[in-house]
């Protein structure tokens, strides 16, 4: 939400009188250190805390999964001796604290362990699956921003002051309905519409096929962006209505400044703070939502990989993917905060704001 409540237009400063030059010089000498230093220190400490929490949670959570992975790996015809041998090979017969120490040591040495099922390094499995999840999430958030911000601003401008009531009502009903549809329901609907085909739309692969690699991402991305587009556009529409009521926007309108300058140069930056903050949270949710979407469309990403690892009780793969997905979410939120800081340094949380 904007903080400009005066008639001063952002970016257009009033002239400074001659007597203020000496005061300005003294203020420059007393200017405190950049708020970026404090911001960097706090966020670095936060990343370290998140990594430690993920390390502990990822280890403890696999202990709660019912069943013995050694029994599954040994096979249906294995006897107790075979199961005990597999448990020893997987180091599952060691005390929990010893396994935790080994696990922490492996992670800090850059090794996430070896998969019980595939006998491959976990890093290799994650490296092969990460591009699919990253493509869905990153392309999806770009589409969300490119569609929702202009759409929300357009509806906000057109419905300003109670005009076009029908448009405001239709926009609210349609976006509210689509936003309420769960991702897996939307994915199933799109498969019926576009993959099975009703004769008037092009057919897309219902599941990932290397031959149609690019086309295979169309439906998964579409199913994961529709809800966030509705959420963000509703917020942008509301924020647009608030920003347009500010005095500096009325002043710009009174000066008969071109519409594109008023909306793009002065209104849009004041919308970005809320929009980007919400987008960071949505992107984090999209990474989690990709788990279901990848399963629906049989995409070999991290989401489908972690589900298969849970079913197989493949502890190292589960632990490695939890750490990677968690750190990706934390880094995404950090990048959003950096971007917000570049737009408005007051969001850095420092006690001073640079002039």
């Amino acid at each position: 939400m904007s903080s400009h409540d005066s008639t001063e237009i952002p970016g257009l400063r009033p002239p400074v009188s001659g007597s203020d030059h000496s005061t300005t010089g003294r203020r420059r000498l007393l200017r405190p250190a950049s708020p970026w230093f404090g911001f960097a220190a706090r966020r670095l400490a936060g990343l370290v805390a998140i990594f430690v929490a993920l390390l502990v949670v990822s280890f403890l959570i696999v202990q709660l999964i019912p069943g013995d992975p050694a029994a599954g790996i040994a096979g249906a015809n294995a006897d107790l001796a075979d199961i005990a041998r597999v448990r020893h090979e997987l180091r599952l017969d060691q005390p929990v604290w010893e396994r935790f120490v080994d696990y922490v040591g492996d992670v800090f040495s850059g090794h996430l362990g070896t998969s019980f099922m595939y006998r491959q390094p976990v890093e290799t499995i994650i490296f092969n699956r990460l591009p699919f999840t990253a493509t869905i999430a990153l392309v999806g958030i770009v589409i969300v921003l490119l569609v929702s911000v202009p759409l929300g601003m357009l509806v906000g401008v057109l419905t300003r002051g109670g005009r076009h009531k029908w448009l405001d009502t239709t926009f609210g009903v349609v976006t509210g309905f689509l936003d309420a549809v769960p991702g897996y329901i939307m994915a199933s609907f799109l498969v019926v519409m576009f993959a099975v085909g009703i004769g008037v739309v092009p057919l897309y692969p219902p599941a990932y096929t290397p031959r149609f690699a690019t086309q295979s991402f169309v439906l998964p991305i579409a199913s994961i962006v529709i809800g966030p587009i509705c959420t963000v556009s509703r917020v942008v529409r509301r924020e647009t209505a608030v920003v347009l009521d500010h005095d500096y926007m009325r002043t710009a309108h009174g000066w008969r400044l071109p519409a594109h300058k008023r909306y793009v140069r002065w209104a849009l930056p004041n919308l970005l703070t809320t929009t980007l903050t919400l987008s960071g949270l949505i992107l984090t949710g999209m990474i989690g939502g990709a788990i279901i979407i990848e399963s629906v469309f049989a995409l070999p990403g991290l989401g489908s990989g972690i589900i298969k690892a849970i079913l197989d009780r493949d502890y190292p793969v589960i632990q490695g993917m939890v750490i990677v997905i968690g750190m990706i979410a934390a880094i995404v939120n950090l990048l959003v905060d950096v971007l917000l800081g570049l737009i408005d340094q007051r969001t850095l949380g420092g006690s001073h704001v640079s002039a």
Side-chain angles (χ1 to χ4, degrees), residues 308-324:
K308 189 173 188 312
I310 292 173
L311 295 176
D312 294 337
R313 301 180 186 86
D314 200 343
Y315 292 173
V317 175
I318 299 172
Q319 293 165 337
M321 288 188 176
V322 168
I323 291 178
V324 170

Side-chain angles (χ1 to χ4, degrees), residues 54-69 87 90-104 116 309-310 313-316 318-319 322:
L54 287 173
L55 201 62
V56 175
V57 171
S58 63
F59 177 81
L60 295 178
I61 198 171
V62 298
Q63 313 301 323
L64 302 177
I65 299 176
D68 186 356
R87 286 180 59 82
L90 300 178
R91 297 187 298 183
L92 294 175
D93 55 348
Q94 296 180 359
V96 174
W97 68 269
E98 287 188 11
R99 280 187 279 156
F100 180 71
V101 171
D102 293 340
Y103 171 60
V104 173
F116 290 169
I310 292 173
R313 301 180 186 86
D314 200 343
Y315 292 173
I318 299 172
Q319 293 165 337
V322 168

Side-chain angles (χ1 to χ4, degrees), residues 154-165 167-169 237 241:
L154 178 63
V155 175
V157 171
L158 293 178
T159 59
R160 178 185 183 187
R163 296 178 297 175
H164 302 97
K165 199 69 178 177
L167 176 60
D168 196 12
T169 303
R237 176 246 172 271

Side-chain angles (χ1 to χ4, degrees), residues 50 280 283-285 287 323-334:
I50 291 173
L283 179 57
T284 304
I287 294 174
I323 291 178
V324 170
I325 293 175
M327 290 308 297
I328 289 176
I331 293 173
V332 165
N333 281 295
L334 173 62

Side-chain angles (χ1 to χ4, degrees), residues 188-203:
S188 302
F189 173 76
L190 293 178
V191 168
V192 173
M193 286 289 293
F194 294 93
V196 177
I198 59 175
V200 295
V201 293
L203 296 178

Side-chain angles (χ1 to χ4, degrees), residues 123-315:
E123 307 90 271
T124 302
I125 297 174
I126 293 176
F127 181 78
N128 292 333
R129 289 179 173 271
L130 182 59
F132 295 93
T133 303
T135 299
I136 293 177
L138 296 181
V139 175
I141 195 64
V142 170
I143 293 176
V144 168
L145 292 177
L146 290 179
V147 175
S148 61
V149 174
L151 177 62
M153 285 191 68
L154 178 63
V155 175
V157 171
L158 293 178
T159 59
R160 178 185 183 187
R163 296 178 297 175
H164 302 97
K165 199 69 178 177
W166 63 269
L167 176 60
D168 196 12
T169 303
T170 303
F171 175 77
V173 170
V174 173
T175 55
F177 172 75
L178 294 177
D179 196 15
V181 177
Y184 64 92
I185 297 291
M186 183 62 69
S188 302
F189 173 76
L190 293 178
V191 168
V192 173
M193 286 289 293
F194 294 93
V196 177
I198 59 175
V200 295
V201 293
L203 296 178
Y204 289 101
Y208 176 76
T209 53
R211 183 181 177 187
F212 302 101
T214 303
Q215 294 92 326
S216 298
F217 283 97
V218 174
L219 294 183
I221 292 175
S223 61
I224 207 171
V225 301
I226 291 177
I229 285 177
C230 297
T231 302
V232 177
S233 61
R234 288 164 66 94
V235 173
V236 172
R237 176 246 172 271
R238 175 59 184 163
E239 289 297 307
T240 301
V242 173
V243 170
L244 293 182
D245 282 340
H246 284 179
D247 292 340
Y248 70 91
M249 290 301 298
R250 293 198 187 98
T251 302
H253 184 73
W255 288 0
R256 298 184 182 278
L257 296 177
H260 71 276
K261 279 191 175 181
R262 283 183 281 136
Y263 299 139
V264 176
R265 184 173 178 180
W266 290 304
L268 180 60
N270 290 291
L271 300 171
L272 290 181
T273 302
T274 304
T275 303
L276 289 177
T277 302
L278 181 61
S279 300
L281 298 175
I282 287 178
L283 179 57
T284 304
M286 289 173 68
I287 294 174
I291 294 176
I292 299 175
I293 298 301
E294 289 174 2
S295 299
V296 173
F297 293 98
L299 280 173
L302 292 179
S304 57
I306 198 169
I307 290 178
K308 189 173 188 312
I310 292 173
L311 295 176
D312 294 337
R313 301 180 186 86
D314 200 343
Y315 292 173

